[in-house]
Coordinates of all heavy atoms in Angstrom, one line a residue:
M23 N 150.3 21.5 -207.7 CA 150.3 22.4 -206.5 C 149.0 23.0 -206.4 O 148.5 23.7 -207.3 CB 151.5 23.3 -206.7 CG 151.6 24.3 -205.4 SD 153.0 25.5 -205.7 CE 154.3 24.5 -205.2
N24 N 148.4 22.9 -205.2 CA 147.1 23.7 -204.9 C 147.4 25.1 -204.4 O 148.5 25.5 -204.2 CB 146.2 22.9 -204.0 CG 146.8 22.8 -202.6 OD1 147.5 23.6 -202.1 ND2 146.5 21.6 -202.0
H25 N 146.3 25.8 -204.2 CA 146.4 27.2 -203.8 C 147.1 27.3 -202.4 O 147.8 28.3 -202.2 CB 145.1 27.9 -203.8 CG 144.1 27.5 -202.9 ND1 143.3 26.4 -203.0 CD2 143.8 28.0 -201.7 CE1 142.6 26.2 -201.9 NE2 142.8 27.2 -201.1
E26 N 146.8 26.4 -201.6 CA 147.4 26.5 -200.2 C 148.9 26.3 -200.3 O 149.6 27.0 -199.6 CB 146.8 25.4 -199.3 CG 145.3 25.7 -198.9 CD 145.1 27.0 -198.1 OE1 146.0 27.3 -197.3 OE2 144.0 27.6 -198.2
D27 N 149.3 25.4 -201.1 CA 150.7 25.1 -201.3 C 151.4 26.4 -201.9 O 152.5 26.8 -201.5 CB 151.0 24.0 -202.2 CG 150.6 22.6 -201.6 OD1 150.5 22.6 -200.3 OD2 150.4 21.6 -202.3
S28 N 150.7 27.1 -202.9 CA 151.2 28.2 -203.5 C 151.4 29.3 -202.5 O 152.4 30.1 -202.4 CB 150.4 28.7 -204.7 OG 150.4 27.7 -205.6
L29 N 150.3 29.5 -201.6 CA 150.4 30.6 -200.6 C 151.5 30.4 -199.6 O 152.2 31.2 -199.2 CB 149.1 30.7 -199.9 CG 147.9 31.4 -200.8 CD1 146.6 31.3 -200.0 CD2 148.3 32.8 -201.0
A30 N 151.7 29.1 -199.2 CA 152.8 28.7 -198.3 C 154.1 29.0 -198.9 O 155.0 29.5 -198.2 CB 152.7 27.2 -197.9
A31 N 154.3 28.7 -200.3 CA 155.5 28.9 -200.9 C 155.8 30.5 -201.0 O 156.9 30.9 -200.9 CB 155.5 28.3 -202.3
A32 N 154.7 31.2 -201.3 CA 154.9 32.7 -201.4 C 155.4 33.2 -200.0 O 156.3 34.1 -199.9 CB 153.5 33.3 -201.8
K33 N 154.8 32.7 -198.9 CA 155.1 33.2 -197.6 C 156.6 32.8 -197.4 O 157.3 33.6 -196.8 CB 154.2 32.6 -196.6 CG 152.9 33.2 -196.5 CD 152.0 32.6 -195.4 CE 150.5 33.0 -195.5 NZ 149.7 32.4 -194.5
A34 N 156.9 31.6 -197.7 CA 158.3 31.2 -197.4 C 159.3 32.1 -198.2 O 160.4 32.5 -197.6 CB 158.5 29.7 -197.8
E35 N 159.0 32.4 -199.4 CA 159.9 33.3 -200.2 C 160.0 34.6 -199.7 O 161.1 35.3 -199.7 CB 159.4 33.3 -201.7 CG 159.6 32.0 -202.5 CD 161.1 31.6 -202.6 OE1 161.9 32.6 -202.8 OE2 161.5 30.5 -202.6
L36 N 158.9 35.2 -199.2 CA 158.8 36.5 -198.6 C 159.7 36.5 -197.3 O 160.4 37.5 -197.0 CB 157.4 37.0 -198.3 CG 156.6 37.4 -199.6 CD1 155.2 37.6 -199.3 CD2 157.2 38.8 -200.2
Q37 N 159.5 35.5 -196.5 CA 160.3 35.4 -195.3 C 161.8 35.3 -195.6 O 162.6 35.9 -194.9 CB 159.8 34.2 -194.5 CG 158.4 34.5 -193.8 CD 157.8 33.2 -193.3 OE1 158.2 32.1 -193.5 NE2 156.7 33.4 -192.5
T38 N 162.2 34.5 -196.6 CA 163.6 34.4 -197.0 C 164.0 35.8 -197.5 O 165.2 36.2 -197.1 CB 163.6 33.4 -198.2 OG1 163.3 32.2 -197.7 CG2 165.1 33.4 -198.7
A39 N 163.2 36.6 -198.2 CA 163.6 37.9 -198.7 C 163.8 38.8 -197.5 O 164.7 39.6 -197.4 CB 162.5 38.4 -199.6
R40 N 162.9 38.7 -196.5 CA 163.0 39.6 -195.3 C 164.3 39.3 -194.6 O 164.9 40.2 -194.1 CB 161.8 39.3 -194.4 CG 161.8 40.2 -193.2 CD 160.5 40.2 -192.4 NE 160.0 38.9 -192.1 CZ 158.9 38.6 -191.5 NH1 158.1 39.6 -191.1 NH2 158.5 37.4 -191.2
R41 N 164.7 38.0 -194.4 CA 166.0 37.7 -193.7 C 167.1 38.2 -194.5 O 168.1 38.8 -193.9 CB 166.1 36.2 -193.6 CG 165.2 35.6 -192.4 CD 165.6 34.2 -192.1 NE 165.2 33.3 -193.2 CZ 164.0 32.8 -193.4 NH1 163.0 33.0 -192.6 NH2 163.8 32.0 -194.5
A42 N 167.1 38.1 -195.8 CA 168.2 38.6 -196.7 C 168.3 40.2 -196.5 O 169.4 40.7 -196.4 CB 168.0 38.2 -198.1
I43 N 167.2 40.8 -196.6 CA 167.2 42.3 -196.4 C 167.7 42.7 -195.1 O 168.5 43.6 -194.9 CB 165.8 42.9 -196.7 CG1 165.4 42.6 -198.1 CG2 165.8 44.3 -196.3 CD1 164.0 42.9 -198.4
R44 N 167.2 42.0 -194.0 CA 167.7 42.2 -192.6 C 169.2 42.1 -192.6 O 169.9 42.9 -192.0 CB 167.0 41.3 -191.7 CG 167.4 41.5 -190.2 CD 167.0 40.3 -189.3 NE 167.7 39.1 -189.8 CZ 167.2 37.9 -189.7 NH1 166.1 37.7 -189.2 NH2 167.9 36.9 -190.2
D45 N 169.7 41.0 -193.1 CA 171.2 40.7 -193.1 C 171.9 41.7 -193.8 O 173.0 42.2 -193.4 CB 171.5 39.3 -193.6 CG 170.9 38.2 -192.8 OD1 170.5 38.4 -191.6 OD2 170.9 37.1 -193.2
E46 N 171.4 42.2 -194.9 CA 172.1 43.3 -195.7 C 172.0 44.6 -195.0 O 173.0 45.3 -194.9 CB 171.4 43.4 -197.0 CG 172.3 44.1 -198.0 CD 171.7 44.1 -199.5 OE1 170.9 43.2 -199.8 OE2 172.1 45.0 -200.3
L47 N 171.0 44.9 -194.3 CA 171.0 46.1 -193.4 C 171.9 46.0 -192.3 O 172.6 47.1 -192.0 CB 169.5 46.4 -193.0 CG 168.6 46.9 -194.0 CD1 167.1 46.8 -193.4 CD2 168.8 48.4 -194.3
R48 N 172.0 44.9 -191.6 CA 172.9 44.7 -190.5 C 174.4 44.9 -191.0 O 175.2 45.3 -190.2 CB 172.7 43.3 -189.9 CG 171.5 43.3 -189.0 CD 171.5 41.9 -188.3 NE 170.3 41.9 -187.4 CZ 169.7 40.8 -187.0 NH1 170.3 39.6 -187.3 NH2 168.7 40.8 -186.3
A49 N 174.6 44.4 -192.2 CA 176.1 44.5 -192.7 C 176.3 45.8 -193.3 O 177.5 46.0 -193.7 CB 176.3 43.3 -193.7
Y50 N 175.4 46.7 -193.5 CA 175.6 47.9 -194.2 C 176.6 48.8 -193.4 O 176.5 48.9 -192.2 CB 174.2 48.6 -194.3 CG 174.3 49.6 -195.5 CD1 174.0 49.1 -196.8 CD2 174.5 50.9 -195.3 CE1 174.0 50.0 -197.8 CE2 174.5 51.8 -196.4 CZ 174.3 51.3 -197.6 OH 174.4 52.2 -198.7
P51 N 177.6 49.4 -194.1 CA 178.6 50.2 -193.4 C 177.9 51.5 -192.8 O 177.1 52.1 -193.5 CB 179.5 50.5 -194.5 CG 178.8 50.3 -195.8 CD 177.8 49.3 -195.5
F52 N 178.4 51.8 -191.6 CA 178.0 53.0 -191.0 C 179.1 54.1 -191.0 O 180.2 53.7 -191.1 CB 177.5 52.7 -189.6 CG 176.2 52.1 -189.5 CD1 176.2 50.6 -189.4 CD2 175.0 52.7 -189.7 CE1 174.9 50.0 -189.5 CE2 173.8 52.1 -189.7 CZ 173.8 50.7 -189.5
P53 N 178.9 55.4 -190.9 CA 177.6 56.0 -190.7 C 176.9 56.1 -192.1 O 177.5 56.1 -193.1 CB 178.0 57.4 -190.3 CG 179.3 57.6 -190.8 CD 180.0 56.3 -190.9
V54 N 175.6 56.1 -191.9 CA 174.6 56.2 -193.1 C 174.1 57.7 -193.1 O 173.6 58.1 -192.2 CB 173.5 55.2 -193.0 CG1 172.5 55.4 -194.2 CG2 174.0 53.8 -193.0
S55 N 174.3 58.3 -194.2 CA 173.8 59.7 -194.3 C 172.4 59.6 -194.8 O 171.9 58.6 -195.2 CB 174.6 60.5 -195.4 OG 174.4 60.0 -196.7
G56 N 171.7 60.7 -194.5 CA 170.2 60.8 -194.9 C 169.9 60.7 -196.4 O 168.8 60.5 -196.7
C57 N 171.0 60.8 -197.1 CA 170.7 60.7 -198.6 C 171.3 59.5 -199.2 O 171.6 59.4 -200.5 CB 171.3 62.0 -199.2 SG 173.1 62.1 -199.1
D58 N 171.5 58.4 -198.4 CA 172.1 57.2 -199.0 C 170.9 56.4 -199.6 O 170.1 55.7 -199.0 CB 172.7 56.3 -197.8 CG 173.5 55.1 -198.3 OD1 173.1 54.6 -199.3 OD2 174.4 54.9 -197.6
A59 N 170.9 56.5 -200.9 CA 169.8 55.9 -201.7 C 169.7 54.3 -201.6 O 168.6 53.8 -201.5 CB 169.9 56.3 -203.1
Q60 N 170.9 53.7 -201.5 CA 170.8 52.2 -201.4 C 170.2 51.8 -200.0 O 169.4 50.8 -200.0 CB 172.2 51.6 -201.6 CG 172.3 50.1 -201.6 CD 173.7 49.6 -201.8 OE1 174.6 50.3 -202.0 NE2 173.8 48.3 -201.7
Y61 N 170.6 52.5 -199.0 CA 170.1 52.1 -197.7 C 168.6 52.4 -197.6 O 167.8 51.6 -197.0 CB 170.9 52.9 -196.6 CG 170.6 52.5 -195.2 CD1 171.1 51.4 -194.6 CD2 169.6 53.3 -194.4 CE1 170.8 51.0 -193.3 CE2 169.2 52.9 -193.1 CZ 169.9 51.8 -192.5 OH 169.5 51.4 -191.3
S62 N 168.2 53.5 -198.1 CA 166.8 53.9 -198.1 C 166.0 52.8 -198.9 O 164.9 52.5 -198.6 CB 166.6 55.3 -198.7 OG 167.2 56.3 -197.9
R63 N 166.6 52.4 -200.0 CA 165.9 51.4 -200.8 C 165.8 50.1 -200.0 O 164.7 49.4 -200.2 CB 166.6 51.1 -202.1 CG 166.0 50.0 -203.0 CD 164.7 50.5 -203.6 NE 164.3 49.4 -204.5 CZ 163.0 49.1 -204.7 NH1 162.1 49.8 -204.1 NH2 162.7 48.1 -205.4
L64 N 166.7 49.7 -199.2 CA 166.6 48.4 -198.5 C 165.4 48.6 -197.4 O 164.7 47.7 -197.2 CB 167.9 48.1 -197.8 CG 169.0 47.7 -198.6 CD1 170.3 47.6 -197.9 CD2 168.6 46.3 -199.2
I65 N 165.4 49.8 -196.8 CA 164.3 50.1 -195.8 C 162.9 50.0 -196.5 O 162.0 49.4 -196.0 CB 164.5 51.4 -195.2 CG1 165.8 51.5 -194.4 CG2 163.3 51.9 -194.3 CD1 165.8 50.7 -193.2
E66 N 162.9 50.6 -197.7 CA 161.6 50.5 -198.5 C 161.3 49.1 -198.9 O 160.1 48.7 -198.7 CB 161.8 51.3 -199.8 CG 160.6 51.3 -200.7 CD 160.9 52.1 -202.0 OE1 161.9 52.9 -202.1 OE2 160.1 51.9 -203.0
L67 N 162.3 48.3 -199.3 CA 162.0 46.9 -199.7 C 161.5 46.1 -198.4 O 160.6 45.2 -198.4 CB 163.2 46.2 -200.2 CG 163.5 46.6 -201.6 CD1 164.8 46.1 -202.1 CD2 162.4 46.2 -202.6
R68 N 162.1 46.4 -197.3 CA 161.7 45.6 -196.0 C 160.3 46.0 -195.6 O 159.6 45.0 -195.3 CB 162.7 46.1 -194.9 CG 162.4 45.4 -193.5 CD 163.2 45.8 -192.5 NE 163.1 47.2 -192.1 CZ 163.8 47.9 -191.3 NH1 164.9 47.3 -190.6 NH2 163.7 49.2 -191.1
A69 N 159.9 47.2 -195.8 CA 158.5 47.5 -195.5 C 157.6 46.9 -196.5 O 156.4 46.4 -196.1 CB 158.3 49.1 -195.6
A70 N 158.0 46.8 -197.8 CA 157.1 46.1 -198.8 C 156.9 44.7 -198.5 O 155.8 44.1 -198.6 CB 157.6 46.3 -200.1
V71 N 158.0 44.0 -198.1 CA 157.9 42.6 -197.8 C 157.0 42.4 -196.5 O 156.2 41.5 -196.5 CB 159.3 42.0 -197.6 CG1 159.3 40.6 -197.0 CG2 160.1 42.0 -199.0
D72 N 157.2 43.2 -195.5 CA 156.4 43.1 -194.3 C 154.9 43.3 -194.6 O 154.1 42.6 -194.1 CB 156.8 44.0 -193.2 CG 158.2 43.7 -192.6 OD1 158.6 42.6 -192.8 OD2 158.8 44.6 -192.0
E73 N 154.7 44.3 -195.4 CA 153.2 44.5 -195.9 C 152.6 43.4 -196.6 O 151.5 43.0 -196.4 CB 153.1 45.8 -196.6 CG 153.4 47.1 -195.9 CD 153.5 48.4 -196.7 OE1 153.2 48.3 -197.9 OE2 153.8 49.3 -196.2
A74 N 153.4 42.7 -197.5 CA 153.0 41.6 -198.3 C 152.7 40.5 -197.4 O 151.6 39.8 -197.6 CB 154.0 41.3 -199.4
L75 N 153.6 40.2 -196.5 CA 153.3 39.1 -195.5 C 152.0 39.4 -194.7 O 151.3 38.5 -194.5 CB 154.5 38.9 -194.6 CG 155.7 38.2 -195.2 CD1 156.9 38.3 -194.3 CD2 155.4 36.7 -195.4
A76 N 151.9 40.6 -194.2 CA 150.7 40.9 -193.5 C 149.4 40.8 -194.3 O 148.3 40.3 -193.8 CB 150.8 42.3 -192.9
A77 N 149.5 41.2 -195.5 CA 148.3 41.1 -196.5 C 147.9 39.6 -196.7 O 146.7 39.4 -196.9 CB 148.6 41.7 -197.8
L78 N 148.9 38.7 -196.8 CA 148.6 37.3 -197.0 C 147.9 36.7 -195.8 O 147.1 35.8 -195.9 CB 149.9 36.5 -197.3 CG 150.5 36.7 -198.7 CD1 151.7 36.0 -198.8 CD2 149.5 36.3 -199.8
D79 N 148.1 37.3 -194.6 CA 147.5 36.8 -193.4 C 146.2 37.5 -192.9 O 145.5 37.0 -192.1 CB 148.5 36.8 -192.2 CG 149.6 35.8 -192.4 OD1 149.4 34.7 -193.1 OD2 150.8 36.0 -192.0
A80 N 146.0 38.6 -193.6 CA 144.8 39.4 -193.2 C 143.5 38.8 -193.6 O 143.4 38.3 -194.7 CB 145.0 40.8 -193.8
P81 N 142.5 38.8 -192.8 CA 141.2 38.3 -193.2 C 140.6 39.2 -194.3 O 140.9 40.4 -194.2 CB 140.4 38.3 -191.9 CG 141.0 39.4 -191.1 CD 142.5 39.4 -191.4
R82 N 139.9 38.7 -195.2 CA 139.3 39.5 -196.3 C 137.8 39.3 -196.2 O 137.2 38.2 -195.9 CB 139.7 38.9 -197.6 CG 141.2 39.0 -197.8 CD 141.5 40.4 -198.3 NE 142.9 40.6 -198.6 CZ 143.8 41.2 -197.8 NH1 143.4 41.8 -196.7 NH2 145.0 41.3 -198.1
F83 N 137.1 40.4 -196.5 CA 135.7 40.4 -196.6 C 135.3 40.1 -198.0 O 135.8 40.7 -199.0 CB 135.0 41.8 -196.2 CG 133.6 41.8 -196.5 CD1 132.7 41.2 -195.6 CD2 133.1 42.5 -197.6 CE1 131.2 41.3 -195.9 CE2 131.7 42.5 -197.9 CZ 130.9 41.9 -197.0
V84 N 134.3 39.1 -198.2 CA 133.9 38.7 -199.5 C 132.4 39.0 -199.5 O 131.6 38.4 -198.8 CB 134.1 37.3 -199.8 CG1 133.6 36.9 -201.2 CG2 135.6 37.0 -199.8
A85 N 132.0 40.0 -200.4 CA 130.6 40.4 -200.5 C 129.7 39.3 -201.0 O 130.1 38.5 -201.9 CB 130.5 41.6 -201.3
T86 N 128.6 39.1 -200.4 CA 127.6 38.1 -200.9 C 126.2 38.8 -200.9 O 126.1 40.0 -200.3 CB 127.5 36.9 -200.0 OG1 127.0 37.4 -198.7 CG2 128.8 36.2 -199.8
P87 N 125.2 38.3 -201.6 CA 123.9 38.9 -201.5 C 123.4 39.1 -200.1 O 122.6 40.1 -199.9 CB 123.1 38.0 -202.4 CG 124.0 37.3 -203.3 CD 125.2 37.2 -202.5
R88 N 123.7 38.2 -199.3 CA 123.2 38.3 -197.9 C 124.0 39.3 -197.0 O 123.5 39.7 -196.0 CB 123.2 36.9 -197.2 CG 122.3 36.0 -198.0 CD 122.3 34.7 -197.4 NE 121.4 34.7 -196.2 CZ 121.2 33.7 -195.3 NH1 121.8 32.5 -195.6 NH2 120.4 33.8 -194.3
S89 N 125.2 39.6 -197.5 CA 126.1 40.5 -196.7 C 126.9 41.4 -197.7 O 128.1 41.0 -197.9 CB 127.0 39.7 -195.8 OG 127.8 40.6 -195.0
P90 N 126.3 42.3 -198.4 CA 126.9 43.0 -199.4 C 128.1 44.0 -199.0 O 128.9 44.4 -199.8 CB 125.8 43.8 -200.1 CG 124.7 44.0 -199.0 CD 124.9 42.8 -198.2
A91 N 128.1 44.4 -197.7 CA 129.2 45.3 -197.2 C 129.6 44.9 -195.9 O 128.8 44.3 -195.1 CB 128.6 46.7 -197.2
P92 N 130.8 45.1 -195.5 CA 131.3 44.7 -194.1 C 130.4 45.1 -193.0 O 130.2 44.4 -192.0 CB 132.7 45.3 -194.1 CG 133.2 45.5 -195.5 CD 131.9 45.9 -196.2
A93 N 130.0 46.4 -193.1 CA 129.1 46.9 -192.0 C 127.7 46.3 -191.8 O 127.1 46.5 -190.9 CB 129.0 48.4 -192.1
D94 N 127.3 45.6 -192.9 CA 125.9 45.0 -192.9 C 125.8 43.8 -192.0 O 124.7 43.4 -191.7 CB 125.6 44.7 -194.4 CG 125.4 45.9 -195.2 OD1 125.2 47.0 -194.7 OD2 125.5 45.8 -196.4
G95 N 126.9 43.2 -191.6 CA 126.8 42.0 -190.8 C 126.3 40.8 -191.6 O 126.3 40.9 -192.8
I96 N 125.7 39.8 -190.9 CA 125.2 38.6 -191.6 C 123.8 38.6 -191.4 O 123.2 38.7 -190.3 CB 125.9 37.4 -191.0 CG1 127.4 37.4 -191.3 CG2 125.3 36.1 -191.7 CD1 128.2 36.3 -190.6
E97 N 123.0 38.5 -192.5 CA 121.6 38.3 -192.5 C 121.2 36.9 -192.1 O 121.8 36.0 -192.7 CB 121.0 38.8 -193.9 CG 119.5 38.6 -194.0 CD 119.1 38.8 -195.4 OE1 119.7 39.6 -196.2 OE2 118.1 38.1 -195.8
S98 N 120.3 36.8 -191.2 CA 119.9 35.4 -190.9 C 118.5 35.3 -191.3 O 117.7 36.1 -191.4 CB 119.9 35.2 -189.3 OG 119.0 36.1 -188.7
R99 N 118.2 34.1 -191.8 CA 116.8 33.8 -192.4 C 116.2 32.6 -191.6 O 116.8 31.8 -191.1 CB 117.0 33.4 -193.8 CG 117.4 34.6 -194.6 CD 117.2 34.4 -196.1 NE 117.7 35.6 -196.8 CZ 117.3 36.0 -197.9 NH1 116.3 35.3 -198.5 NH2 117.7 37.0 -198.4

C-alpha cells in the first residue's frame, strides 16, 4: 500500500466515523441537559473528526532554501 492509498483509507475511516457519530447524535434521546457528558463527548468527537478531515485536505507549506517561510514567496533565478 502506498501513501496515497493510506491517506484515502484514513479519509474513508474518518468519514465512516463521522457518519456513525452523526447517527448516534440523531438517535440520542431528548431533552438533553447542558450537563450531559455523553452528548457533549459526541459533539467533541464530531469536531475532532471534522478537523482531521480538513487537515488531510489542507495545503501545507514545505520550507526550502529558496522559500524558507510562507511569506517569502518563491525566489526565481
Side-chain angles (χ1 to χ4, degrees):
M23 179 180 280
N24 66 32
H25 70 280
E26 291 294 332
D27 293 339
S28 296
L29 287 173
K33 287 180 187 180
E35 288 295 324
L36 285 166
Q37 290 165 346
T38 299
R40 182 170 48 186
R41 283 189 295 275
I43 293 166
R44 180 197 60 212
D45 293 345
E46 197 169 342
L47 283 167
R48 283 184 179 162
Y50 204 84
F52 287 97
V54 175
S55 67
C57 62
D58 191 330
Q60 184 178 357
Y61 187 81
S62 296
R63 178 68 178 146
L64 289 170
I65 298 294
E66 179 184 341
L67 287 173
R68 182 179 62 184
V71 168
D72 288 344
E73 289 171 10
L75 282 166
L78 286 174
D79 290 329
R82 297 283 182 250
F83 173 78
V84 178
T86 66
R88 296 181 78 182
S89 185
D94 293 337
I96 299 173
E97 177 186 327
S98 63
R99 293 189 182 212

